[in-house]
Amino acid sequence: PWLLVFSLLLLHVGLRQDVTTPVGRGFLIGHLGAVLLWQPLVSGQHKVSVTEMVVFALVASAMGMWMSWGLSLLWTLLLAGMFGGKLFLHSSARARVPYWLALGYLVFALIGLILPQLLPLDERPPELLGYLVGWLGPLLFVSMLVLGAPRAEPRGPAALDFVGSLVIMLVLGGVLLGALALMFLTGVDYLPALLKALAIMACGLALLGWAWNPRQGFAGLGLVISRHALSGGLPFDRWLSEVADLALHEEMPEPFVAKAIEHMLSWPGMRGVRWEIVGQGADAAAAGGELGQHTANAVTLSHGALQVTLHTRHALTPTPLWQVDLMVRLLAEFYLAKLQAQRLQAFSYVRAVHETGARVTHEVKNLLQSLDTLCFALTQADSGRKIEARELVMHQLPVISQRLHAALERIRQPVVEDIREQSASLWWNALQARYEGQAVLFDSDADLGTLRLPGAMFDTVADNLLRNALEKDGGVSLRITARFMTNEYGCILDVEDTGEAIPAERVSALFVTPIASATGLGIGLYQAARLARAGGFSLTLAENRQGCVRFRLAPHVLQ
């Protein structure tokens, strides 16, 4: 603190010698140089140019020529703000002592030496106040040297707490101007006016401090201003709350992103939003949408699978741009988490199906072995008392064994042989025979002579679609149509019914994840879609409206 004390000592001598005299101005110029040494304006590695030296010389000359008590008041206020700004940068109480003492001296200098010189002669306080400040200054300087830090702190980059400095300057300026206003408006003397101004400022600061951080659980000005500063004036915290609530109620990734982005349109200055989700993995497809209108000010942000283009009335400044970039990043993470949860749920369903199938397969194998043994025993029996029973059993057991073998083949996991091709004509005739007597209309105008298709895969998909249609609304007054067509790419199967349309919130989950229904676990469509993809086909919802719900199985090149 030696340099700090030296600069304040020069200021003190200059004020005592009168800043309007040549001697006082000379001390103030020396004080300015000491302050620049203590708080340098340029770094040590910077080479000062001739122009900068000329500017500094002009400033020092102007101070020496036109220095007055009014300029001294402004400079002392600025110096008080500088010392006050240093207070907030030190964690050690010992290191803050010199700045507290320096700030105290400047306050006393403002009250006892500078401000009285700006008053008329008949309004000035007694000279005793100036003498007290004159003797108090050296005492504070000695205290700064004794109570300051035991050794010099490492010199780092010049730093100030700008907000703290500004607050201290405003408080001191308010007290001084308030004292002057009370003197001229109420006619009281200097010291009573100063005490009243201090009391008013203290009450105002106490009230502001309570409003800044109230104890009764209210929000407080501190929280409101902090939120406003962090959000750049945008309702960022409200949007986060809406997205968090939306994440709890919306399970599907794409609808969640669409609804979250829709909330952005309520932001001030936002005119339009366009987003696109690039599919991740074999089961995901590209999705996107657009809301609002286009403007000349557009910014595109991309994180992960999510790409968002924002159209605003004015170009985004750095703080709002940082906010929306953080929002897009959060949405991308939410989307990825929900997509992984969806895949995990689908995997859980598939695992449950496989485990159930394994148990059923084991039971069927045991039953099949028992039936084979019984069939062998009965065919080898030679008793004459049960000839008719043996003949009946001999006739039925091979049929039961054949059916159990067929059930076992259907339960096991599909392999390449399950999608082998067969005659389209035979498959179409067999499908009509299976649903003979059901409320299903079969229609085909294709030439099925030499056409071939993967029969097992078509059987699985067709059975699933037709059973769903027959179970829909109990099958009452529904017209169900199975239509078989061909083109240059291959075979196309449409299954259409005249029932209720599928709800919009369930459409996006079709073929992507199992959907529980009133009649089952909803695994059929999911498994049928996976089997179709394995065979080079795609199962899609071609039309969905009241009175017409149509599913289509077609070669993948058509989708």
Side-chain angles (χ1 to χ4, degrees):
W2 287 94
L3 192 57
L4 176 62
V5 172
F6 179 66
S7 65
L8 291 179
L9 181 61
L10 292 178
L11 175 64
H12 181 70
V13 175
L15 293 177
R16 294 293 295 166
Q17 292 294 326
D18 193 341
V19 299
T20 60
T21 63
V23 177
R25 291 174 178 176
F27 277 104
L28 289 182
I29 293 176
H31 159 73
L32 176 61
V35 170
L36 291 178
L37 290 176
W38 171 75
Q39 180 68 62
L41 297 180
V42 295
S43 63
Q45 294 78 18
H46 178 71
K47 184 178 181 181
V48 180
S49 64
V50 177
T51 304
E52 293 171 342
M53 289 294 296
V54 171
V55 171
F56 176 75
L58 291 176
V59 172
S61 301
M63 177 179 290
M65 295 176 59
W66 293 296
M67 176 57 66
S68 63
W69 288 108
L71 291 178
S72 300
L73 176 66
L74 296 178
W75 170 251
T76 308
L77 284 176
L78 180 62
L79 204 60
M82 186 184 303
F83 293 154
K86 289 287 188 179
L87 285 172
F88 301 98
L89 301 179
H90 295 276
S91 58
S92 172
R94 185 76 177 273
R96 290 196 298 266
V97 170
Y99 299 107
W100 278 117
L101 295 175
L103 182 60
Y105 166 74
L106 292 177
V107 171
F108 287 121
L110 284 170
I111 295 174
L113 297 178
I114 300 177
L115 189 60
Q117 298 298 326
L118 298 175
L119 299 175
L121 292 176
D122 56 345
E123 298 289 344
R124 293 181 182 180
E127 294 184 0
L128 179 61
L129 180 61
Y131 288 123
L132 290 176
V133 176
W135 288 104
L136 182 62
L139 180 61
L140 292 176
F141 300 154
V142 174
S143 301
M144 290 171 61
L145 294 176
V146 174
L147 300 178
R151 63 177 182 272
E153 297 181 359
R155 292 183 62 86
L160 286 176
D161 189 328
F162 177 75
V163 176
S165 301
L166 184 61
V167 169
I168 291 176
M169 290 177 59
L170 292 177
V171 170
L172 288 177
V175 171
L176 299 179
L177 293 178
L180 294 177
L182 289 174
M183 286 182 61
F184 295 127
L185 293 178
T186 62
V188 297
D189 294 335
Y190 175 72
L191 290 179
L194 185 63
L195 293 176
K196 289 182 180 180
L198 284 174
I200 294 174
M201 182 60 69
C203 292
L205 290 177
L207 181 61
L208 181 62
W210 177 86
W212 188 269
N213 187 21
R215 302 295 181 182
Q216 285 76 17
F218 298 103
L221 293 178
L223 182 59
V224 175
I225 294 177
S226 299
R227 284 181 176 179
H228 184 81
L230 290 175
S231 64
L234 300 177
F236 182 64
D237 54 343
R238 186 187 59 175
W239 182 84
L240 285 179
S241 178
E242 293 174 349
V243 169
D245 184 67
L246 185 62
L248 296 176
H249 298 88
E250 183 60 58
E251 297 181 357
M252 302 306 300
E254 287 80 7
F256 165 77
V257 173
K259 293 179 181 178
I261 291 180
E262 185 178 355
H263 288 299
M264 292 185 187
L265 286 179
S266 61
W267 284 34
M270 195 70 66
R271 288 292 176 264
V273 184
R274 182 181 181 274
W275 73 96
E276 183 179 2
I277 300 175
V278 182
Q280 295 191 5
D283 296 340
E290 187 172 356
L291 293 173
Q293 58 187 3
H294 287 217
T295 62
N297 300 307
V299 58
T300 300
L301 303 171
S302 179
H303 290 288
L306 181 61
Q307 180 175 331
V308 179
T309 301
L310 303 173
H311 297 272
T312 57
R313 179 189 299 176
H314 306 290
L316 292 176
T317 56
T319 298
L321 183 60
W322 174 79
Q323 297 289 345
V324 296
D325 182 74
L326 180 59
M327 289 164 40
V328 174
R329 187 183 296 272
L330 287 174
L331 283 182
E333 294 297 330
F334 268 115
Y335 172 78
L336 183 60
K338 287 188 172 295
L339 187 62
Q340 292 175 347
Q342 184 185 73
R343 290 175 177 174
L344 182 60
Q345 183 183 17
F347 175 76
S348 300
Y349 272 93
V350 173
R351 181 178 179 180
V353 171
H354 287 174
E355 291 178 353
T356 303
R359 291 194 296 268
V360 174
T361 301
H362 181 71
E363 295 175 0
V364 171
K365 282 183 178 180
N366 292 337
L367 183 58
L368 183 60
Q369 291 176 357
S370 300
L371 291 175
D372 285 339
T373 303
L374 179 60
C375 184
F376 176 79
L378 290 176
T379 53
Q380 297 297 323
D382 198 18
S383 175
R385 295 185 303 172
K386 299 182 179 179
I387 297 178
E388 295 181 357
R390 185 164 57 249
E391 290 179 354
L392 179 61
V393 172
M394 290 176 61
H395 182 267
Q396 293 294 330
L397 283 181
V399 177
I400 296 175
S401 178
Q402 183 180 2
R403 293 182 61 185
L404 288 175
H405 277 293
L408 179 61
E409 291 296 320
R410 287 195 299 269
I411 289 175
R412 68 182 177 87
Q413 185 175 359
V415 291
V416 178
E417 289 77 6
D418 294 324
I419 55 176
R420 61 181 181 274
E421 293 187 346
Q422 69 179 69
S423 170
S425 177
L426 293 177
W427 174 83
W428 181 247
N429 293 333
L431 180 64
Q432 296 182 68
R434 285 203 303 273
Y435 289 91
E436 185 177 358
Q438 304 285 344
V440 180
L441 175 63
F442 292 90
D443 180 25
S444 175
D445 54 0
D447 183 11
L448 308 180
T450 59
L451 191 64
R452 300 183 67 83
L453 52 76
M457 185 265 290
F458 265 73
D459 271 337
T460 300
V461 175
D463 287 341
N464 190 277
L465 295 177
L466 290 174
R467 281 198 302 268
N468 288 345
L470 290 172
E471 295 173 357
K472 190 175 184 180
D473 300 330
V476 180
S477 67
L478 286 184
R479 187 171 68 254
I480 304 172
T481 304
R483 186 175 294 105
F484 188 78
M485 302 169 288
T486 60
N487 59 11
E488 64 272 19
Y489 297 107
C491 306
I492 301 174
L493 175 65
D494 282 357
V495 176
E496 178 182 325
D497 65 74
T498 57
E500 295 277 343
I502 300 176
E505 60 271 12
R506 299 170 67 92
V507 170
S508 58
L510 286 176
F511 320 120
V512 177
T513 182
I515 304 176
S517 62
T519 58
L521 296 178
I523 303 177
L525 279 179
Y526 173 70
Q527 293 284 51
R530 287 170 58 90
L531 184 59
R533 282 195 298 271
F537 285 73
S538 292
L539 180 59
T540 59
L541 180 61
E543 192 169 357
N544 182 39
R545 56 182 175 84
Q546 188 68 23
C548 182
V549 179
R550 178 162 51 91
F551 290 88
R552 168 166 291 187
L553 176 65
H556 187 69
V557 292
L558 296 181
Q559 308 304 319

